[in-house]
Amino acid sequence: MYCPWDVLNHCDRIRSNPDAQPENYWINTSSNDAVKRFIQESANAATKREIENLVAGGVITKEIHQELTYPEIYETIDNIWSLLFTTGYLTQRGKAEGRQMKLAIPNREIRDIFETQIMEFFKENVKKDGEMLTRFCDALQNEDTENVEKIFTKYLRKTISIRDTAVRTDMKENFYHGILLGILGVKSRWGISSNREMGEGYADILAEPDTGDMGIIIEVKYAHDGDLDGACKKALKQIEYTRYEDDLEDDGVENILKYRIACYKKRCKVMLAENG
């Protein structure tokens, strides 16, 4: 199975550039309403885990009804599985047993669509959780690592995680990075920078509260082996080695907080480096 539109576009590009790499052309031509609606309907924990499993390259078994009429499609989450299959967002793995089929995301291009819609879903839900996320930001500002960790863990449990395959391990860290940026966005008067050049490297996240005298540096690490403490220590070494705070000190910022946040699936560990 392949997408003719992608093949034609790629052939057109390599006529002028033989070294051109395949790109995701379909995502720019489709509204992807099926995936968007599916993720919006994934309110229960079981469905969220199934989405995480699919994005991670796994297979799930579902009963597929190909005879559904359009008005029936969005009646239940079970019907949306059938829609995703018949429209090509999911494909069959192995032999079907009656209506029971093993389903998987067919390729990297479709997986990118799922990931994009998951992040859009997260951004939309940030507004609904404004009060809780404001408390998260306040805890950051007040050096309350216990509540930073508690609230962030609670939010991770509500969110659909992008736990990608080993080929794209960097995406795991990027996912948590994106979540933190979205959360900090509830503070509209704060200055938020991502991957800003500071000292002798690039800080993952820099938050500058509207008080004008504080800088909050956040280094995010993904604990691939589940060792959250170990990942936090690596983040601390990076913060200290790259001297992220130098630029802030040069600008007269007196109160600099350096957080390291390690994540593994739905768990996190938060530590605050001691000043000096």
Side-chain angles (χ1 to χ4, degrees), residues 115-127:
E115 291 174 358
T116 300
Q117 292 300 334
I118 287 171
M119 291 307 294
E120 287 300 318
F121 172 72
F122 158 71
K123 291 174 184 176
E124 291 172 5
N125 275 267
V126 164
K127 300 174 184 177

Side-chain angles (χ1 to χ4, degrees), residues 184-196:
L184 292 169
V186 303
K187 290 286 194 178
S188 59
R189 297 178 63 87
W190 284 22
I192 308 297
S193 305
S194 175
N195 294 315
R196 172 176 161 178

Side-chain angles (χ1 to χ4, degrees), residues 24-86:
N24 190 337
Y25 298 100
W26 188 18
I27 196 171
N28 297 320
T29 61
S30 170
S31 63
N32 303 306
D33 284 340
V35 176
K36 182 176 182 179
R37 188 72 174 269
F38 171 58
I39 292 172
Q40 289 175 335
E41 296 290 332
S42 60
N44 63 74
T47 303
K48 288 180 180 178
R49 283 195 295 269
E50 288 172 326
I51 295 174
E52 291 170 0
N53 186 26
L54 286 170
V55 175
V59 175
I60 63 171
T61 301
K62 289 293 174 182
E63 186 171 306
I64 298 301
H65 301 269
Q66 300 190 56
E67 72 285 357
L68 288 172
T69 62
Y70 190 81
E72 297 173 319
I73 288 174
Y74 295 113
E75 286 183 352
T76 70
I77 192 74
D78 291 330
N79 289 349
I80 302 180
W81 289 110
S82 298
L83 172 64
L84 292 171
F85 172 71
T86 56

Side-chain angles (χ1 to χ4, degrees), residues 151-164:
I151 296 171
F152 192 41
T153 298
K154 183 178 179 180
Y155 200 72
L156 288 176
R157 288 172 180 166
K158 291 180 59 179
T159 307
I160 300 172
S161 297
I162 300 173
R163 292 184 287 113
D164 225 332

Side-chain angles (χ1 to χ4, degrees), residues 119-255:
M119 291 307 294
E120 287 300 318
F121 172 72
F122 158 71
K123 291 174 184 176
E124 291 172 5
N125 275 267
V126 164
K127 300 174 184 177
K128 300 177 185 178
D129 296 302
E131 189 274 332
M132 178 177 70
L133 300 183
T134 296
R135 286 192 286 110
F136 172 87
C137 294
D138 291 343
L140 269 179
Q141 194 172 1
N142 296 326
E143 304 180 44
D144 185 357
T145 55
E146 182 178 347
N147 269 317
V148 171
E149 184 175 309
K150 182 179 178 181
I151 296 171
F152 192 41
T153 298
K154 183 178 179 180
Y155 200 72
L156 288 176
R157 288 172 180 166
K158 291 180 59 179
T159 307
I160 300 172
S161 297
I162 300 173
R163 292 184 287 113
D164 225 332
T165 58
V167 178
R168 302 179 66 197
T169 52
D170 61 309
M171 286 300 298
K172 298 177 181 179
E173 205 163 280
N174 290 348
F175 173 68
Y176 299 97
H177 185 131
I179 285 185
L180 284 166
L181 285 175
I183 291 174
L184 292 169
V186 303
K187 290 286 194 178
S188 59
R189 297 178 63 87
W190 284 22
I192 308 297
S193 305
S194 175
N195 294 315
R196 172 176 161 178
E197 186 173 1
M198 299 180 65
E200 299 178 12
Y202 293 85
D204 280 349
I205 298 172
L206 170 64
E208 298 177 88
D210 50 0
T211 58
D213 62 349
M214 175 180 284
I216 301 173
I217 298 169
I218 302 174
E219 189 69 24
V220 185
K221 289 294 180 187
Y222 185 79
H224 297 283
D225 56 359
D227 181 5
L228 294 170
D229 286 329
C232 268
K233 290 175 182 177
K234 288 180 182 178
L236 175 60
K237 287 181 180 178
Q238 184 168 339
I239 290 174
E240 298 300 337
Y241 175 75
T242 51
R243 300 289 302 171
Y244 289 153
E245 70 272 23
D246 286 355
D247 286 357
L248 293 176
E249 290 174 349
D250 291 342
D251 289 337
V253 177
E254 297 178 356
N255 191 6

